[in-house]
Amino acid sequence: MSALRTSGPARAGQYLALLAYLVFLAFPFLWLLSTAFKPAPELASLHPTWIPENPTLDNFRQAFDEQPLLRAAANSLLAAVSAAVIAVAVATPLAYVTVRHRGRLAGAATGWVVISQAFPFVLVIIPLFLVLKNLHLINSVAGLVLVYVVWSLPFALWMLMGYARAVPAELEEAAAVDGAGRIRTLVSVTAPLLAPGIVATALFAFVTAWNEFFFALVLLKTPEKQTLPVVLTHFLGAEGVADLGPLAAAAFLATLPSLLVFGLLQRRITGGTLTGAVKS
Amino acid sequence: MRRILALAAALALLLSGCTAGGDGPDDGVVRLRFQSLAWQKESVDANRQLVKEWNAAHPDIQVEYVQGSWDSVHDQLLTSFEGGEAPDIIHDASDDLSDFAYGGRLADLRPLLSERLRADIPARSWETTTFGEGVYGVPFLQEPRVLIANRKILESSGVRVPTPEKPWSWSEFRQITQDLTRTMGSGRYAVAWPLKEPVSVSLNLGVSAGGRLFHRDPDGRVTVDFTASDGIVPGTVHDQVVSDRTAPRTTLGSGGSDTLPGFFAGKYAMVPLGFAYRQQIAQQAPEGFAWTVLPAPAGGEGLAQGVSPQTLSIAEDSPHKKEAARFLDFFLRPANMVRLARGDWMLPTGTAALADPSLHTARDGWATGAAVAEYLRPAPAQSVRGYPEWKDKVATPAFQEYYSGAIDGAELRRRLVEDGNRVLARYQRR
């Protein structure tokens, strides 16, 4: 086996391309950060700067003063965490069973999962609204969580099926030979191997729910229940006019939880992604 | 496993605590939901304060203030109407009401409104919320387009400064932008047109030159025609950008806010903007920056221009329409309308409110706006079924290409009329 060798200039080119890509990815976030700390005259400058000349916290003060950001963030957090936990709790056994017991039903279920991803949400929102109304779940975070779970479940299932497939059945058979029961095998052998996939899937469900806007807008009626993406639109006026400074400050704060969760779970996600990508 | 079960139980308890209750206690108190789209702090404060005053004075009719958003109001209302969960009192713009009005979602306000309110608002404003036989909203705030100008550049150039009594004509405006650009030096322009949404600007300002574009037959059928009058305003803008170079091509795809940095830096002497933009300018302008508000140029119809006022409607499904109408009557009393207008930096439609001295001061250009108010007319597209599709699929790309010089006036006319009538015909088949 011989390792691939790259010449010095080629490696420098690779690093340069990687750096350019990272800058491209980071640009919106850094610009948001810069805008959040700029006073009004700098926001209206014809020659914008990366680093604010007179950094200020006024935009943050104004954002908190004008909108109930903390309450909205708490609502978002509750909805996103609940949706992630429930979606994973439902999708994990489903994915495992679908992978281990291959048959026509499992094939049809997988097909349906793929097809259901093609439905635009505007198609389902009105029937969904009526169903939730009959269940008295309009204007409740519980109703919103239900929607988020249903919405993220197909992709979560699909994702977890990839991870479940990568768990070798031989390991479970070996555990059975050693005398472990079905439950013991699932808990002690299968679950730890699926853990990275579960974490990655939960993160996906969390971020989807955390950023979701339209369902929250339509389903939550009272200000006390509104989530962060809905409250952020209150900084926007008619014809695209925006209260740019406070909007940037609030949007910057809104991105922090996702970044924090990603940062904390990064290692597990990377492991999970690799685990799912390799076929046994 | 025990930990997972405990987590699931905790979650279930948490969610059960989040479930909505019913529609409120059965205590004989009428509860109304008022969805407001006010978004600027002063405006939200004014709205909330008025609701608070109402609630204090009417313990038997309590109004809940709900914050909506301009960005998504149509979709949100559509879903709420379909689901039978619409707010009782709805804040929107008149050009968004037609589908809801024709669809039976909004209450006809004629038997509900007080005589005072009906008499206070001029007939031309009521026209913006009249669909078929009914009136489906109270128009209460409106916003003309004005020219916000850099006072120093304007005065040092020596050009005649227009007033509502003696505005520029469209041809004079073109000439003055040529003179101004010459005095400003290279890389600077007399006017910047932010035309990200070119259709409403073109149509509404076009009213001043007699532009109508939409023509209604006696049988109610609407067709598009593009006469010489319709071409005056678009032609002026096109010439300023393409042949005179008195307006930059780069701002054509911009929104109003995007042009402000260049305006503050003296790159543009004037920017045509909605009246409410004054608030942003007052907040963001650098210290010592002197600005003034000028009336938009006038044509054969004088200072006339089309507007789509902000409106308040009552949902047809609301079980408390009379109480909602009483709240509207309170909310739109002249003094309250002034508070709302000042909060939004817009003009009230009510004649009594418009007469308030605070709306006639020279400061921040209030007087210019108030003087223009009497010339405001319903936007030409008001109540034309199929207008949103005509705007998005035909008119927006056509105007954008025309203003950038990609197509000529004949092609603009062909697209607006031929392609446009095909779209409108689909909505008017019997």
Side-chain angles (χ1 to χ4, degrees):
Chain A
M1 249 175 87
S2 64
L4 279 175
R5 288 191 177 181
T6 46
S7 62
R11 182 167 293 180
Q14 284 172 351
Y15 280 121
L16 204 64
L18 183 66
L19 186 70
Y21 184 58
L22 288 176
V23 168
F24 173 74
L25 286 182
F27 177 81
F29 180 74
L30 293 177
W31 193 249
L32 192 68
L33 181 66
S34 166
T35 306
F37 288 97
K38 280 181 183 171
E42 282 188 53
L43 287 173
S45 168
L46 189 60
H47 304 290
T49 51
W50 272 103
I51 299 170
E53 286 167 14
N54 299 297
T56 176
L57 290 173
D58 283 354
N59 293 326
F60 290 90
R61 271 189 219 107
Q62 201 180 328
F64 277 103
D65 185 36
E66 289 179 13
Q67 298 297 337
L69 292 180
L70 283 179
R71 189 175 64 201
N75 290 338
S76 281
L77 198 65
L78 176 61
V81 170
S82 308
V85 171
I86 296 173
V88 164
V90 175
T92 306
L94 269 176
Y96 180 77
V97 169
T98 311
V99 166
R100 283 288 180 266
H101 302 281
R102 284 179 194 167
R104 278 190 187 170
L105 195 62
T110 313
W112 177 245
V113 165
V114 176
I115 290 167
S116 70
Q117 289 294 294
F119 294 149
F121 64 84
V122 287
L123 200 72
V124 298
I125 184 68
I126 290 173
L128 194 69
F129 191 93
L130 294 171
V131 169
L132 290 173
K133 190 185 168 198
N134 289 332
L135 294 172
H136 300 288
L137 285 175
I138 297 290
N139 199 31
S140 82
V141 178
L144 192 65
V145 169
L146 190 65
V147 173
Y148 288 167
V149 170
V150 171
W151 199 246
S152 59
L153 202 54
F155 193 75
L157 186 60
W158 199 11
M159 219 170 146
L160 277 164
M161 279 164 64
Y163 288 101
R165 247 182 238 118
V167 177
E170 291 81 1
L171 281 178
E172 292 172 0
E173 286 162 12
V177 169
D178 287 344
R182 195 77 187 115
I183 300 291
R184 177 76 191 273
T185 306
L186 283 175
V187 171
S188 303
V189 178
T190 314
L193 291 170
L194 270 179
I198 291 172
V199 171
T201 308
L203 197 58
F204 154 77
F206 174 85
V207 173
T208 306
W210 178 264
N211 292 331
E212 200 284 324
F213 166 71
F214 192 67
F215 286 128
L217 173 82
V218 168
L219 295 176
L220 303 174
K221 302 285 166 196
T222 52
E224 295 75 29
K225 300 278 171 61
Q226 287 179 336
T227 57
L228 206 49
V230 177
V231 169
L232 285 182
T233 64
H234 298 164
F235 293 105
L236 295 171
E239 293 187 23
V241 186
D243 209 352
L244 198 57
L247 174 64
F252 169 68
L253 293 175
T255 58
L256 289 184
S258 295
L259 288 177
L260 199 70
V261 175
F262 263 109
L264 289 174
L265 301 178
Q266 188 191 21
R267 234 176 242 176
R268 279 182 177 274
I269 299 162
T270 313
T273 310
L274 291 173
T275 307
V278 177
K279 285 185 178 177
S280 60
Chain B
M1 182 57 90
R2 232 176 287 160
R3 254 186 289 172
I4 292 172
L5 283 173
L7 185 69
L11 203 64
L13 275 174
L14 198 60
L15 290 181
S16 63
C18 306
T19 310
D23 290 328
D26 188 16
D27 53 5
V29 175
V30 171
R31 289 185 168 77
L32 301 171
R33 240 167 357 108
F34 165 38
Q35 179 170 294
S36 166
L37 302 179
W39 69 283
Q40 298 176 102
K41 189 175 183 319
E42 294 159 293
S43 174
V44 173
D45 288 349
N47 272 266
R48 284 186 183 278
Q49 184 56 32
L50 285 175
V51 168
K52 205 170 155 187
E53 287 171 21
W54 166 271
N55 285 340
H58 301 82
D60 54 333
I61 307 171
Q62 291 292 288
V63 173
E64 181 188 17
Y65 180 91
V66 181
Q67 186 70 58
S69 148
W70 281 108
D71 211 31
S72 47
V73 64
H74 187 86
D75 292 339
Q76 195 247 345
L77 283 176
L78 185 66
T79 315
S80 303
F81 283 133
E82 290 292 337
E85 286 281 332
D88 301 274
I89 300 154
I90 295 161
H91 183 187
D92 203 347
S94 63
D95 59 357
D96 193 40
L97 296 183
S98 67
D99 284 348
F100 298 139
Y102 286 120
R105 301 299 189 186
L106 301 176
D108 181 0
L109 299 179
R110 286 175 303 169
L112 297 167
L113 294 179
S114 67
E115 188 50 44
R116 178 203 67 77
L117 192 55
R118 274 194 285 184
D120 186 41
I121 294 173
R124 59 177 182 273
S125 292
W126 284 118
E127 275 177 45
T128 62
T129 54
T130 303
F131 303 98
E133 294 293 308
V135 173
Y136 295 95
V138 185
F140 72 111
L141 291 177
Q142 55 189 348
E143 180 182 32
R145 274 181 198 276
V146 289
L147 294 171
I148 312 274
N150 182 318
R151 187 192 289 268
K152 212 179 278 180
I153 294 177
L154 209 63
E155 287 174 353
S156 65
S157 69
V159 299
R160 182 179 78 80
V161 177
T163 61
E165 296 73 34
K166 208 172 171 210
W168 288 329
S169 68
W170 282 99
S171 57
E172 192 183 4
F173 175 55
R174 189 178 163 196
Q175 181 58 52
I176 275 169
T177 54
Q178 288 172 347
D179 297 344
L180 262 175
T181 305
R182 261 196 301 276
T183 62
M184 288 172 70
S186 72
R188 293 167 188 269
Y189 301 89
V191 62
W193 284 97
L195 290 174
K196 193 177 176 184
E197 301 282 346
V199 183
S200 61
V201 178
S202 309
L203 262 61
N204 290 342
L205 285 179
V207 171
S208 66
R212 285 172 61 196
L213 217 63
F214 296 100
H215 298 264
R216 199 176 287 273
D217 296 344
D219 64 352
R221 193 177 172 80
V222 176
T223 50
V224 184
D225 193 9
F226 191 83
T227 63
S229 300
D230 291 299
I232 288 174
V233 173
T236 305
V237 178
H238 169 272
D239 291 346
Q240 286 175 326
V241 174
V242 177
S243 50
D244 301 351
R245 308 286 167 89
T246 54
R249 201 181 296 256
T250 47
T251 62
L252 291 178
S254 306
S257 304
D258 304 324
T259 58
L260 294 184
F263 177 61
F264 294 147
K267 196 175 173 188
Y268 320 125
M270 293 181 284
V271 190
L273 291 170
F275 197 54
Y277 269 94
R278 293 170 306 131
Q279 193 208 23
Q280 274 204 324
I281 293 167
Q283 278 180 350
Q284 295 178 4
E287 220 171 286
F289 182 83
W291 55 281
T292 186
V293 177
L294 311 175
E301 303 287 320
L303 286 170
Q305 57 174 282
V307 285
S308 297
Q310 291 188 20
T311 56
L312 290 169
S313 303
I314 298 174
E316 176 61 23
D317 283 348
S318 171
H320 306 295
K321 294 190 192 70
K322 278 184 186 165
E323 290 83 354
R326 279 182 62 196
F327 172 72
L328 288 190
D329 192 52
F330 161 82
F331 196 72
L332 300 177
R333 281 178 191 167
N336 295 343
M337 227 194 250
V338 172
R339 286 158 75 182
L340 294 167
R342 291 183 63 79
D344 251 333
W345 290 61
M346 294 176 102
L347 297 171
T349 54
T351 45
L354 196 59
D356 189 274
S358 70
L359 302 180
H360 291 264
T361 58
R363 190 182 159 82
D364 297 330
W366 280 105
T368 304
V372 169
E374 64 176 296
Y375 302 100
L376 302 179
R377 302 283 178 269
Q382 202 82 42
S383 82
V384 173
R385 303 199 82 174
Y387 169 74
E389 185 180 340
W390 175 83
K391 186 180 88 168
D392 292 343
K393 291 186 180 165
V394 177
T396 299
F399 274 116
Q400 281 172 340
E401 288 180 46
Y402 176 61
Y403 289 141
S404 68
I407 60 172
D408 61 11
E411 176 62 9
L412 172 73
R413 183 184 188 285
R414 189 200 68 72
R415 289 205 207 171
L416 294 180
V417 177
E418 288 180 25
D419 298 351
N421 279 326
R422 263 198 295 276
V423 170
L424 294 195
R426 275 198 287 109
Y427 289 82
Q428 299 179 90
R429 280 185 194 136
R430 300 225 165 104

